[in-house]
Amino acid sequence: MENTTWVNNHTGRSDFDLVGLFSQSKYPALLCVVIFVDFLMALSGNIILILLIYCDAHLHNPMYFFITQLSLMDVMYICVTVPKMLVDQVMGVNKISAPECGMQMFLYLTLVGSEYSLLAVMAYDRYVAICLPLRYPILMNRRVCLILVSSCWLLGSVDGFMITTITMTFPFCRSREIHHFSCEVPAVMKLSCSDTSLNETLIYLCCVLMLLIPMTIISSSYSFILFTIHRMNSAEGRKKAFATCSSHMTVVILFYGAAVYTYMLPKSYHTSEKDMIVSVFYTILTPVLNPLIYSLRNKDVTRALKKMLNVRSVSQ
């Protein structure tokens, strides 16, 4: 009887119900508008930043090349989840098929994993620029930058493939309701009727490595940077170096703080509501904040933006 029930549940329904943010809100229409505005801000802010860096020759250096990759990742992973969430709310649908769920999970994990690595690369870039300035053109030449960025994308895709494969091969014979607005791994794992403890441990170790190694590189890089800044004779040099590094550290703290909560804290710290709030933070809000952090606190970017706006006003 149990086997029959399992077969019916496992094969009879191949879709999931996303019980997400809007079902928890007293004002779903207002929340939908707010998320849509945030989505447009994230898209426009990151795309403008990419175009500025591409068009201004003064911004053609490794640091800004890595920032364009960060913006590209932000644009892609907000597009993986938010458009479907908004369309489902407008259409009154909350279904997602198993293949769509697996693809969404893979893309999301790939992009998030790639961003973990990229933030470490950006910290290393700042370390070389500030602590080893004479060797910077050699250590961070174009070929090295391309290899580092390609490695970030590769590591992210391997991480996404491994975790998605482990998660989506489980039999799902309980409720098909995912208490989340996307196919987040912890939310999907809760639906399995088999023992997932071993696989959860493997996923946990994988996430720890994906977080711990970049965090070690980041903390080491900024420790050397702070020591070097402290020894600088020029007050202007210290101010410029600290402003650049503080922007990077703000992004790191925002992104890694949410990731540590989601993938490293024990189950006792988690609830469906908390998980969704944290996911909203690094899925929707962080892509909005990143271009603001890198533009408002960066004189070169603001100068390039003013130059572009002046050129447009003169041409009109």
Side-chain angles (χ1 to χ4, degrees), residues 210-229:
M210 286 297 294
L211 287 169
L212 190 60
I213 294 174
M215 286 176 70
T216 302
I217 295 172
I218 290 168
S219 57
S220 301
S221 297
Y222 284 112
S223 296
F224 285 116
I225 288 170
L226 290 174
F227 180 72
T228 303
I229 290 174

Side-chain angles (χ1 to χ4, degrees), residues 105-256:
M105 185 183 296
F106 168 72
L107 291 173
Y108 188 78
L109 289 170
T110 295
L111 292 163
V112 171
S114 300
E115 190 155 333
Y116 294 156
S117 303
L118 182 64
L119 290 173
V121 168
M122 292 173 72
Y124 172 73
D125 170 70
R126 290 301 84 206
Y127 159 73
V128 177
I130 294 172
C131 301
L132 306 169
L134 297 179
R135 299 177 62 188
Y136 185 74
I138 299 172
L139 294 176
M140 297 302 293
N141 59 53
R142 182 176 178 79
R143 181 171 175 272
V144 170
C145 291
L146 290 173
I147 290 172
L148 289 173
V149 168
S150 300
S151 300
C152 292
W153 285 102
L154 178 62
L155 287 172
S157 60
V158 170
D159 179 57
F161 178 77
M162 288 176 57
I163 296 178
T164 302
T165 303
I166 292 172
T167 305
M168 296 306 294
T169 51
F170 281 118
F172 300 107
C173 54
R174 295 178 184 171
S175 167
R176 308 289 287 195
E177 292 185 347
I178 301 175
H179 290 273
H180 212 283
F181 58 84
S182 67
C183 289
E184 186 88 42
V185 173
V188 175
M189 292 277 280
K190 291 177 182 178
L191 306 183
S192 177
C193 57
S194 61
D195 182 14
T196 62
S197 56
L198 177 60
N199 299 82
E200 286 178 0
T201 303
L202 291 174
I203 291 174
Y204 176 80
L205 292 174
C206 183
C207 291
V208 167
L209 287 175
M210 286 297 294
L211 287 169
L212 190 60
I213 294 174
M215 286 176 70
T216 302
I217 295 172
I218 290 168
S219 57
S220 301
S221 297
Y222 284 112
S223 296
F224 285 116
I225 288 170
L226 290 174
F227 180 72
T228 303
I229 290 174
H230 180 70
R231 294 172 57 190
M232 283 183 178
N233 295 323
S234 169
E236 184 64 27
R238 284 199 302 268
K239 184 179 178 181
K240 184 176 180 180
F242 185 77
T244 303
C245 293
S246 61
S247 297
H248 289 220
M249 284 305 297
T250 303
V251 174
V252 167
I253 291 169
L254 291 174
F255 197 76
Y256 273 81

Side-chain angles (χ1 to χ4, degrees), residues 57-86:
H58 294 95
L59 302 180
H60 291 178
N61 61 53
M63 183 180 80
Y64 294 108
F65 171 66
F66 295 137
I67 290 176
T68 60
Q69 294 297 307
L70 181 69
S71 292
L72 179 62
M73 290 175 186
D74 283 345
V75 167
M76 291 176 68
Y77 85 71
I78 197 173
C79 288
V80 168
T81 56
V82 174
K84 176 173 175 52
M85 178 172 61
L86 294 175

